[in-house]
Amino acid sequence: MKISDILVEKTPHLSFEVFPPKKDDEFTNAQNVLHQLSELQPDFISVTYGAGGGTSEHTVNIAADLRKKYDVTVLTHLTCVSSTREHVAKMVQKYKENGIENILALRGDIPEGGAPHSDYHYAAELVRDICIGGACYPEGHVEAANKTEDILHLKEKVEAGCEFLTTQMFFDNNIMYNFLYRIREKGITVPVIAGIMPVTNVNQIERITSMSGTYLPERFKAIVDRFGDNPAAMKQAGIAYATDQIIDLYANNITNVHVYSMNKPDVAFKIQNNLSDILGK
Ligand code: FAD
């Protein structure tokens, strides 16, 4: 099913994310993750694309399994900045051969020392080649001079053909509401999926804070201070915080929420369970 058709429905939606294993022998574990996530019958599952494309075969295989073995709607990611046009065309062909209708077109992070190819510079160029969704940043992308400029580039990406957008994670919903107001004002009207990251351990927070620009509200910091050294309590509090954010989004009519479930089906299960009556599942 095309995700753009799901997103225009008025009912609340919930989707999850998996990432491909880095080594071949981790594939069996990935299969368990796929099985457990598909049991939750999410609206779709996204499969990330390793930076630089080194694990692209795994992305294809996982997406194909989700589609064929588990009958799940899939969104496969594809980055372009470290690829040639030829490689990108080959990947799109493989996705099509495996019945995958939805692609999230990304530039990818520029590797240290610069990108090895110069076929693509921005995601908009990839969007022009294929039909799909794109990424957006409620707090502004780290390389953008300011939010206004970032939104102007986002508009170019949407005009190039993006049918929907998925946000970077955020921990304060007001940032999302403000972003939506600003992009709608600039004429960006495609559906926007809110990306929510359940933070379940302290290491994750260290990674997030090293990604400049992600604002951590005081309420969130208090949870980390109080429960950070108690893994079980931190996990429970992180799931509750993410659930709270999702309920607030649904209540404010943002019906499309994507959970960065990070190959943790138990976290996905608990969040979905917390929302069972809201989702009717
Ligand atoms: P772009 O839309 O190209 O934007 C990148 C920067 O360029 C922005 O600052 C923008 O303002 C600026 N810009 C755009 N057009 C122009 C222009 N014409 N002139 C000047 N500046 C311009 N990475 C992975 O490696 N694999 C994944 O699977 C993956 N999944 C992701 C999923 C989501 C939902 C998100 C939010 C990010 C994901 N990323 C992934 C990370 C992403 O690749 C990086 O954030 C990357 O740095 C930007 O990619 P983009 O597609 O948003 O780039």
Side-chain angles (χ1 to χ4, degrees):
M1 185 168 186
K2 286 198 92 185
I3 286 174
S4 49
D5 292 335
I6 299 174
L7 300 178
V8 290
E9 297 166 358
K10 297 278 175 252
T11 45
H13 297 122
L14 195 68
S15 51
F16 299 121
E17 182 158 293
V18 293
F19 55 82
K22 291 199 173 61
K23 297 181 194 143
D24 290 346
D25 59 0
E26 289 167 2
F27 206 76
T28 317
N29 185 40
Q31 286 292 328
N32 292 334
V33 171
L34 304 191
H35 176 71
Q36 290 177 59
L37 282 181
S38 62
E39 296 260 287
L40 299 176
Q41 301 183 332
D43 290 287
F44 67 87
I45 295 179
S46 68
V47 188
T48 65
Y49 194 81
T55 52
S56 60
E57 280 306 315
H58 287 326
T59 296
V60 177
N61 293 338
I62 284 183
D65 279 351
L66 280 169
R67 191 70 216 92
K68 293 177 185 162
K69 268 198 206 164
Y70 302 107
D71 195 25
V72 173
T73 298
V74 186
L75 172 65
T76 40
H77 295 193
L78 179 60
T79 66
C80 62
V81 78
S82 295
S83 288
T84 58
R85 264 179 210 280
E86 198 188 356
H87 181 74
V88 163
K90 215 181 277 173
M91 289 306 299
V92 172
Q93 184 57 27
K94 282 187 188 174
Y95 289 169
K96 277 192 186 149
E97 282 165 10
N98 285 290
I100 295 147
E101 295 174 286
N102 306 291
I103 299 176
L104 192 76
L106 298 147
R107 185 197 68 179
D109 286 326
I110 297 178
E112 262 177 52
H117 304 286
S118 57
D119 284 3
Y120 293 96
H121 307 91
Y122 300 109
E125 298 159 22
L126 176 59
V127 174
R128 280 187 201 105
D129 285 0
I130 49 179
C131 162
I132 17 98
C136 62
Y137 303 81
E139 297 177 64
H141 184 262
V142 300
E143 291 165 33
N146 53 57
K147 287 187 195 173
T148 306
E149 199 174 283
D150 203 32
I151 290 174
L152 286 179
H153 294 313
L154 183 63
K155 187 153 192 237
E156 286 164 17
K157 189 156 69 173
V158 171
E159 284 169 353
C162 266
E163 295 176 353
F164 63 92
L165 298 165
T166 305
T167 74
Q168 178 65 287
M169 70 183 86
F170 54 88
F171 297 97
D172 179 345
N173 287 0
N174 287 327
I175 290 172
M176 174 71 176
Y177 302 138
N178 186 269
F179 172 70
L180 279 178
Y181 178 79
R182 292 185 67 172
I183 65 167
R184 299 306 188 214
E185 194 183 44
K186 290 282 179 252
I188 300 173
T189 56
V190 293
V192 180
I193 307 174
I196 295 296
M197 167 78 88
V199 175
T200 54
N201 67 63
V202 176
N203 296 341
Q204 258 175 299
I205 298 151
E206 278 158 12
R207 274 200 301 277
I208 291 161
T209 43
S210 69
M211 287 169 50
S212 61
T214 305
Y215 168 67
L216 300 180
E218 289 307 318
R219 196 165 74 85
F220 181 89
K221 286 197 239 169
I223 288 174
V224 180
D225 284 348
R226 179 72 181 83
F227 305 117
D229 56 2
N230 178 341
M234 184 61 227
K235 190 168 177 178
Q236 191 169 46
I239 289 170
Y241 190 94
T243 304
D244 240 33
Q245 268 193 286
I246 298 172
I247 291 173
D248 184 66
L249 289 166
Y250 287 156
N252 283 284
N253 229 7
I254 294 177
T255 46
N256 299 307
V257 176
H258 185 60
V259 178
Y260 292 117
S261 42
M262 308 292 290
N263 290 11
K264 291 180 190 145
D266 58 324
V267 173
F269 172 80
K270 282 181 180 147
I271 290 181
Q272 180 155 309
N273 209 31
N274 287 344
L275 301 166
S276 57
D277 287 334
I278 293 171
L279 293 168
K281 282 187 182 173

